[in-house]
Amino acid sequence: MPAAKPKMSKETLLPLLASHVLTNGLGGASLRPLAKAAGTSDRMLIYHFGNKETLITELLDHIAGIYSAALDAAIGAERPKTRRECFERVMAQGSHPMMQPFMVLWWEIVAGSARGLPGYRDAAEAMIAKQLLWLEGQMPADDPDPAGGARYLLTLMEGTLMLNAVGHEVTARDGIPASGL
Amino acid sequence: MPAAKPKMSKETLLPLLASHVLTNGLGGASLRPLAKAAGTSDRMLIYHFGNKETLITELLDHIAGIYSAALDAAIGAERPKTRRECFERVMAQGSHPMMQPFMVLWWEIVAGSARGLPGYRDAAEAMIAKQLLWLEGQMPADDPDPAGGARYLLTLMEGTLMLNAVGHEVTARDGIPASGL
DNA sequence: CAGAGTATGTAGCACTCGCTACAAAAATAG
DNA sequence: CTATTTTTGTAGCGAGTGCTACATACTCTG
């Protein structure tokens, strides 16, 4: 017998949409390809979400949730000894090929947030807040100021990731002082 | 008599196109609005540039040139005394309202570069390289490692600007250690 | 001035966009 | 089972997309 209908809904649709957006981008996403990736029609996307804007907004929210869950799942076993070690470990994780689609999408979210597109700002804020919290939990146990250190490392990380994104890997690598942090 | 025809060409077109893109964004730019902003028709844009892709590429190159010239025009009179002073001065300049359209566009360029869109990467690379060079020239005169310091400050700056772009101004401000740099 | 090349306007093509009207099927309620 | 509501398919609308065909002007060369 043919596959039974999976009874689609926002909840079943969003993961499929997210997966499509992670590989194909967010800015150029249009209803018909999105629908095809989710096994439906544009007609049904509008039916479930009302219009494209709220679809994107809810999709961004969903993606922020995925990201948050991914961070939760990536808690290191033992705490790093130094801030530098923490930085390097987190950067290694963020540079992992598996995370690359996420990074590519991330800059699109930043761009949308900077331009004030609806939904982007909230998603970006949530993802940064989560990352900050997570980073704070990953700081060395004896760090005198974990919250401040997390903010500092986050700033360095994002600057480094951006330089990587635009092909300045060398600048990014040499931008981190050999000692200090 | 009516205004004489200014004899359009790539060179006369690009500044008008750049101005339109700076306020209206790059991703959603389409030929007809671009042409209208430049006082022409889509027909003529294709005539001069061949197709949209090379138009965007040349436009990005032109915008990188504008940015470079703006940096050249913004050389401080006297050198800062410390790296921190240098950082704060440069950040103040980058946060100036006048520069905001540039910053909004910048993240769009980063996103395009991360996604591998043609032309974006080269423009982003050029702008970062220019900024790095400029920053190096703005470092304190007695800095032991101006090139390394410039890379470090650039990393911090871009991380901070990104946090600003997504509404984490507080995180951005507190992400810079009170002493050290 | 004749002819050649360059520049520009008009109209339109094939396509995609977000979205809707209409109707039929499917599930649910009584 | 009947009646109502929820879910889905088909078809299409009006607008916008990049781009082209064709014809016309303009400008320069001989």
Side-chain angles (χ1 to χ4, degrees):
Chain A
M1 56 182 165
K5 288 199 179 176
K7 235 183 184 191
M8 91 182 79
S9 68
K10 281 187 183 186
E11 285 66 36
T12 69
L13 250 19
L14 282 174
L16 301 168
L17 298 175
S19 146
H20 177 260
V21 154
L22 272 168
T23 68
N24 292 90
L26 191 44
S30 51
L31 288 183
R32 272 168 261 247
L34 278 172
K36 195 160 136 191
T40 339
S41 62
D42 56 334
R43 166 72 179 74
M44 289 313 293
L45 291 184
I46 296 293
Y47 174 73
H48 282 295
F49 294 94
N51 54 44
K52 190 189 178 184
E53 178 177 319
T54 63
L55 187 160
I56 296 293
T57 301
E58 299 197 24
L59 183 51
L60 281 169
D61 186 68
H62 179 78
I63 288 174
I66 294 180
Y67 183 71
S68 178
L71 281 189
D72 283 336
I75 301 262
E78 76 283 1
R79 291 269 191 113
K81 295 275 189 302
T82 65
R83 283 188 176 184
R84 168 168 305 274
E85 196 185 329
C86 177
F87 176 82
E88 276 163 8
R89 190 183 295 182
V90 173
M91 278 300 297
Q93 189 216 328
S95 307
H96 194 280
M98 197 186 62
M99 291 294 284
Q100 204 184 343
F102 235 116
M103 287 311 303
V104 175
L105 187 62
W106 168 245
W107 297 116
E108 218 167 335
I109 294 175
V110 171
S113 173
R115 197 163 288 282
L117 304 186
Y120 284 70
R121 183 98 166 203
D122 286 347
E125 264 188 58
M127 289 167 86
I128 285 290
K130 178 71 186 187
Q131 198 164 1
L132 203 53
L133 203 65
W134 182 84
L135 200 52
E136 190 174 333
Q138 293 297 103
M139 291 290 287
D142 60 346
D143 197 281
D145 178 16
R151 285 192 286 261
Y152 176 50
L153 289 193
L154 181 64
T155 306
L156 276 179
M157 275 178 51
E158 296 292 348
T160 303
L161 288 170
M162 192 274 265
L163 289 172
N164 279 328
V166 300
H168 269 262
E169 292 84 2
V170 179
T171 305
R173 176 158 33 80
D174 298 351
I176 306 303
S179 66
L181 288 207
Chain B
M1 54 183 164
K5 287 198 180 178
K7 235 183 186 191
M8 90 183 81
S9 69
K10 281 187 184 184
E11 285 65 37
T12 69
L13 250 18
L14 282 173
L16 301 168
L17 298 175
S19 146
H20 177 260
V21 155
L22 272 168
T23 69
N24 292 88
L26 191 44
S30 51
L31 288 184
R32 271 169 261 249
L34 277 173
K36 195 159 135 190
T40 338
S41 62
D42 55 334
R43 165 73 179 75
M44 289 314 292
L45 291 184
I46 296 293
Y47 174 74
H48 282 295
F49 294 94
N51 54 46
K52 190 189 177 183
E53 179 177 317
T54 63
L55 187 158
I56 296 294
T57 300
E58 299 198 24
L59 182 51
L60 281 169
D61 186 69
H62 180 78
I63 288 174
I66 294 180
Y67 182 70
S68 178
L71 281 189
D72 282 337
I75 301 260
E78 77 282 1
R79 291 270 191 114
K81 296 273 190 299
T82 65
R83 283 188 176 184
R84 168 168 304 275
E85 196 185 330
C86 177
F87 176 82
E88 276 164 8
R89 190 183 295 182
V90 173
M91 278 300 297
Q93 188 215 328
S95 307
H96 194 279
M98 197 186 62
M99 290 294 285
Q100 203 185 347
F102 235 117
M103 287 310 303
V104 174
L105 188 62
W106 168 245
W107 297 115
E108 216 167 340
I109 294 176
V110 171
S113 173
R115 198 163 285 283
L117 304 185
Y120 284 71
R121 182 96 165 208
D122 285 348
E125 264 189 58
M127 289 167 85
I128 285 290
K130 178 71 185 187
Q131 198 164 0
L132 202 53
L133 202 66
W134 182 84
L135 200 52
E136 191 175 330
Q138 294 296 105
M139 292 291 287
D142 61 347
D143 196 282
D145 178 16
R151 286 192 285 261
Y152 176 51
L153 288 193
L154 181 64
T155 305
L156 276 180
M157 274 178 50
E158 296 291 348
T160 303
L161 288 171
M162 193 274 264
L163 289 172
N164 279 327
V166 300
H168 269 263
E169 292 84 2
V170 179
T171 305
R173 176 158 32 80
D174 298 351
I176 305 303
S179 66
L181 287 207

